[in-house]
Amino acid sequence: MLQLARRITIMITPARPLAALAASAMMWLLLVAPLALGQSATASVDVTNGVSNLIVGPFIAEPGARLAIELVCHDVSFYDLEEVIAEGCRLADESGSLIHSIVPPEGTAAQTWIAAVELIDAHGDPLLAGRYHLTLETTAGDFTALLDIVPTQLLASHTRFAGTAVANGLSLRVSRLVTPADDGKRIAIRLGDELLIQLPGNATTGFEWWNSVLYEYAVLRPIDETPFEYRMESDPGLLGASGVFLFRYQSVAADSQWFRFVYHRPWESVDPADVFEFTAVVY
């Protein structure tokens, strides 16, 4: 989903020894380099006294979509990641007026938090087309995704890019988020976008979610080698703690693909306890 183009600005204030900074700067330049040219986009990194301020984008989404924003670690040498705490996530318009603010439980490690942001206003209506700022706030600094909301029919008209901007070994990951609220719906994404499917469950019971429909020529392909990632949401020390199953895909062709997930115990030959279906349409 990340968009980068020919105009890229890297602003770095030295906060580490010069040699180490030079090596890091080279890594940033390699990661930020665009793989396509077209409409204007930007990546800005400012690191002062170990605190980062990263701005990258624009990401493209349709009105009313639900997005997931996460922090990704590229270099564990910068931080003890358990000490990087998520402080919040805010969505604002281009003038800086706040639309939504999400605060995680106190002490939440930033790399384990997935902030779910709906592109709707205070009345529940889809946000109007335009430029917005989606910021993940952490004790390591602020990480902002520039977000362009465009009508669904115009998704395909925006040029696609690939790249990553990194500040002190950390970067943003923005995905189109799918949850049980999307059961039976059609989800619009762009070619090259990432899709994150988040389904609640409890692995301690032996149940797991499984994608029961496989395609030889898939429009969306799994990003991870493992079928899914399971994260506990409640206290892991509690017996029977619940959690979420995470499935990550990336769109590789412009077409549609139907998904059918079943919640079952793999060794049981009975009807699944739950079923979740949706269709992804790639523009």
Side-chain angles (χ1 to χ4, degrees), residues 211-215 256-260 276-280:
N211 183 9
S212 64
V213 181
L214 302 177
Y215 298 89
S256 63
Q257 181 170 322
W258 176 58
F259 286 85
R260 184 177 188 270
F276 171 68
E277 302 175 352
F278 72 97
T279 299

Side-chain angles (χ1 to χ4, degrees), residues 3-8 32-42 57-58 161:
Q3 315 296 305
L4 293 178
R6 64 182 70 177
R7 292 191 303 197
I8 295 181
V32 170
L35 303 184
L37 299 178
Q39 66 198 54
S40 175
T42 185
F161 306 93

Side-chain angles (χ1 to χ4, degrees), residues 49-67:
N49 297 325
V51 177
S52 305
N53 184 9
L54 181 148
I55 301 174
V56 63
F59 294 79
I60 311 296
E62 64 173 341
R66 185 183 297 107
L67 302 180

Side-chain angles (χ1 to χ4, degrees), residues 208-214 227-228 247 260-264:
E208 63 181 42
W209 285 99
W210 174 61
N211 183 9
S212 64
V213 181
L214 302 177
F228 60 81
F247 299 82
R260 184 177 188 270
F261 288 84
V262 298
Y263 190 55
H264 71 150

Side-chain angles (χ1 to χ4, degrees), residues 105-166:
E106 185 176 356
T108 299
Q111 83 278 8
T112 67
W113 189 45
I114 300 176
V117 180
E118 290 192 77
L119 304 182
I120 57 176
D121 61 21
H123 303 289
D125 298 323
L127 291 176
L128 298 176
R131 169 65 57 85
Y132 296 84
H133 292 195
L134 183 57
T135 301
L136 187 63
E137 302 166 312
T138 78
T139 54
D142 290 350
F143 299 79
T144 298
L146 301 180
L147 177 65
D148 283 350
I149 296 180
V150 302
T152 304
Q153 64 270 24
L154 297 181
L155 287 175
S157 66
H158 287 255
T159 309
R160 301 165 184 85
F161 306 93
T164 302
V166 181

Side-chain angles (χ1 to χ4, degrees), residues 65-275:
R66 185 183 297 107
L67 302 180
I69 181 169
E70 309 169 73
L71 200 64
V72 177
C73 177
H74 298 270
D75 188 346
V76 296
S77 66
F78 284 93
Y79 299 105
D80 178 352
L81 286 182
E82 293 183 357
E83 296 181 357
V84 180
I85 304 300
E87 298 180 326
C89 178
R90 67 179 186 269
L91 175 66
D93 62 22
E94 195 164 19
S95 69
S97 298
L98 183 66
I99 300 171
H100 296 304
S101 180
I102 306 171
V103 179
E106 185 176 356
T108 299
Q111 83 278 8
T112 67
W113 189 45
I114 300 176
V117 180
E118 290 192 77
L119 304 182
I120 57 176
D121 61 21
H123 303 289
D125 298 323
L127 291 176
L128 298 176
R131 169 65 57 85
Y132 296 84
H133 292 195
L134 183 57
T135 301
L136 187 63
E137 302 166 312
T138 78
T139 54
D142 290 350
F143 299 79
T144 298
L146 301 180
L147 177 65
D148 283 350
I149 296 180
V150 302
T152 304
Q153 64 270 24
L154 297 181
L155 287 175
S157 66
H158 287 255
T159 309
R160 301 165 184 85
F161 306 93
T164 302
V166 181
N168 270 0
L170 301 172
S171 72
L172 277 179
R173 186 176 198 173
V174 179
S175 310
R176 180 65 164 89
L177 180 62
V178 175
T179 71
D182 298 305
D183 189 36
K185 295 182 179 179
R186 292 171 66 86
I187 304 300
I189 63 174
R190 301 186 335 127
L191 184 62
D193 284 358
E194 291 190 13
L195 190 70
L196 174 60
I197 302 166
Q198 182 176 287
L199 300 173
N202 193 331
T204 66
T205 64
F207 280 88
E208 63 181 42
W209 285 99
W210 174 61
N211 183 9
S212 64
V213 181
L214 302 177
Y215 298 89
E216 183 177 2
Y217 301 103
V219 174
L220 291 101
R221 296 177 182 172
I223 295 176
D224 300 326
E225 294 183 2
T226 56
F228 60 81
E229 177 188 357
Y230 179 71
R231 295 187 185 183
M232 288 187 177
E233 286 192 320
S234 53
D235 187 348
L238 295 177
L239 184 63
S242 60
V244 293
F245 290 79
L246 303 175
F247 299 82
R248 299 182 187 273
Y249 294 86
Q250 185 170 37
S251 57
V252 296
D255 205 336
S256 63
Q257 181 170 322
W258 176 58
F259 286 85
R260 184 177 188 270
F261 288 84
V262 298
Y263 190 55
H264 71 150
R265 289 189 177 105
W267 62 87
E268 292 183 343
S269 299
V270 297
D271 291 337
D274 200 359
V275 176

